[in-house]
Amino acid sequence: MALILGLESSCDETAAAVVRDGETVLSSVIASQIAAHAVHGGVVPELAAREHLKAFTPVTEAAMREAGVAFSDLDAIAITQGPGLIPALLVGLNFAKGLATGNGLPLIGVNHFMAHIYGAFLDGESHRLAEEKTYPLLALVVSGGHTSLVLVDSTGAARQLGSTIDDAAGEALDKGAKLLGLGYPGGPAIQKAAADGDPKAFDFPRPLTGGAGKAVPRELKYSFSFSGIKTALLYHSRRRRDAGEDFSGKWLADTVASYQMAVVDTLVRKTFLAARDFGAKTVVVAGGVACNKLLREEMANRIPRQVELRFAPPKYCTDNAAMVGGIGHHHFIRGEFSDIGIDSFARLPGVTRLPFVGEKQTKEN
Ligand code: KG4
Ligand code: ZN
């Protein structure tokens, strides 16, 4: 049995969680900084770092208290090492180093991107990862910082098939919401404002899907691009303003519904294209945008037969530390600990292996 304290500070959530054996979440505490950043319409890295500095001790104490454990009960501390905002990551990394050193515990640096995928297997579902029939597994990681398709085989070998060549899907939703004056974060705001709108009212592009007669270059077959959708929204809004009308009523609901559908439709098409081409048995959707209701519905309605669809539960879609403590367990049982001198990283290094797959093979070898 292993008890891991997970810590997370890659963006604007300060989070701590205590996780047993990589699947039982004893506590998961999240302090959101949304209010602090909302006035700026997006996350300000230095402000995020200062907020993490204030929040880490109370958030960690709350997670330990809720789990009913002491530091002497823990086996390791797992911390998000990257990718993310460097000033924000550094605060968490230093906090984790202090806790690990002070309590004589090993430190485990965790990849935020892989932790998001792992979020779909928390709460007693991690046995699925040991089953051959789960693979090939295709993961769509879709958040404010990422939009990537990763293919994983039953040995844990992973490769990124494609990612966004410009904005992430969440970023497109956040920027779109800002443009329309809907506030931050944009994803939930757009979902709400789109509720009564007609998703077919306006035709926004579906970049790199081969629509509108535009061929997709081979090397971009599984890549995404969302800046064109955002630019289309900008022109659409300008036309409205030039006509002397404001952004409200039916126009707003229809605009937002159509914009959301363009983002979602693009994600669904690309994911299932890759799932078909690579014979995926499981499709996992993770990251903040995986909270989106329309994405969940469209994925479920359009999934090819024989493919199992797994969404992380909403509480593990947006940034949290349960996914960090969970994946940390798999590094722990492999004896993969980090040096106390580890640094943060802003971008995703090549994804070549997922630590939580192929456990059986590793143990037997
Ligand atoms: O995973 P996350 O918390 O942070 C990153 O690692 O980026 O994702 C945040 C992103 C934001 O862009 C936010 O607008 C989006 O997730 N998001 C949503 C929803 N909830 C959060 N997007 C669409 N619909 C939602 N319900
Ligand atoms: Zn994230």
Side-chain angles (χ1 to χ4, degrees):
M1 201 182 92
L3 209 55
I4 313 257
L5 170 67
L7 300 169
E8 152 68 34
S9 70
S10 65
C11 190
D12 60 345
E13 264 94 27
T14 315
V18 179
V19 183
R20 189 196 290 136
D21 294 337
E23 58 178 15
T24 308
V25 181
L26 301 183
S27 64
S28 178
V29 178
I30 303 168
S32 171
Q33 307 175 1
I34 283 175
H37 298 285
V39 284
H40 303 284
V43 180
V44 182
E46 186 189 327
L47 184 58
R50 290 175 191 273
E51 293 290 319
H52 287 308
L53 211 49
K54 283 188 266 180
F56 253 124
T57 298
V59 165
T60 304
E61 281 173 357
M64 296 293 284
R65 200 169 47 240
E66 265 181 41
V69 301
F71 279 101
S72 55
D73 298 324
L74 295 176
D75 292 290
I77 293 180
I79 173 70
T80 304
Q81 199 180 345
L85 301 172
I86 293 295
L89 288 165
L90 288 178
V91 175
L93 206 50
N94 267 330
F95 183 72
K97 286 181 183 189
L99 276 186
T101 308
N103 293 286
L105 290 166
L107 183 72
I108 299 168
V110 160
N111 183 309
H112 182 70
F113 188 88
M114 296 186 202
H116 267 303
I117 300 175
Y118 194 78
F121 296 93
L122 283 167
D123 288 345
E125 290 292 299
S126 67
H127 62 277
R128 298 282 183 134
L129 292 164
E131 294 169 3
E132 194 75 31
K133 63 173 192 224
T134 303
Y135 303 94
L137 178 154
L138 178 73
L140 169 69
V141 181
V142 62
S143 69
H146 305 283
T147 306
S148 289
L149 284 168
V150 177
L151 188 72
V152 188
D153 74 18
S154 63
T155 68
R159 70 189 163 109
Q160 188 161 282
L161 300 177
S163 63
T164 180
I165 57 169
D166 41 56
D167 292 349
E171 200 178 347
L173 294 171
D174 292 337
K175 288 179 179 168
K178 190 174 177 184
L179 182 79
L180 296 168
L182 292 173
Y184 174 84
I190 283 186
Q191 179 172 306
K192 195 160 165 242
D196 299 321
D198 174 6
K200 294 202 180 101
F202 302 112
D203 195 17
F204 288 107
R206 272 76 163 154
L208 301 182
T209 60
K214 275 191 204 155
V216 182
R218 233 179 27 181
E219 68 278 12
L220 298 179
K221 194 172 178 194
Y222 309 112
S223 302
F224 297 91
S225 166
F226 290 100
S227 70
I229 301 183
K230 194 186 61 189
T231 308
L233 178 67
L234 179 70
Y235 290 135
H236 174 77
S237 311
R238 265 194 205 152
R239 280 195 297 275
R240 173 82 176 173
R241 188 162 282 150
D242 291 348
E245 305 275 0
D246 64 1
F247 299 167
S248 64
K250 185 164 161 43
W251 179 88
L252 182 65
D254 286 351
T255 295
V256 168
S258 303
Y259 186 71
Q260 178 181 236
M261 185 52 105
V263 172
V264 164
D265 186 40
T266 304
L267 292 171
V268 174
R269 282 198 210 184
K270 287 283 193 176
T271 303
F272 292 152
L273 173 72
R276 193 199 61 198
D277 287 359
F278 293 94
K281 299 267 175 34
T282 310
V283 167
V284 169
V285 189
V289 180
C291 288
N292 187 266
K293 227 173 126 243
L294 183 70
L295 179 63
R296 287 176 176 253
E297 285 166 9
E298 290 293 312
M299 281 276 183
N301 290 342
R302 291 157 63 178
I303 185 116
R305 235 178 291 165
Q306 272 115 29
V307 180
E308 192 190 317
L309 181 63
R310 294 191 70 85
F311 271 91
K315 64 180 171 182
Y316 302 140
C317 280
T318 44
D319 289 343
N320 66 89
M323 63 186 192
V324 178
I327 197 172
H329 173 79
H330 297 267
H331 288 295
F332 179 81
I333 56 176
R334 287 178 146 85
E336 293 170 354
F337 300 114
S338 303
D339 189 86
I340 202 70
I342 54 165
D343 198 353
S344 54
F345 54 88
R347 298 197 185 286
L348 191 68
V351 180
T352 53
R353 185 181 72 85
L354 296 199
F356 45 83
V357 188
E359 224 117 81
K360 273 209 196 98
Q361 287 90 329
T362 310
K363 272 185 196 157
E364 280 160 13
N365 287 346

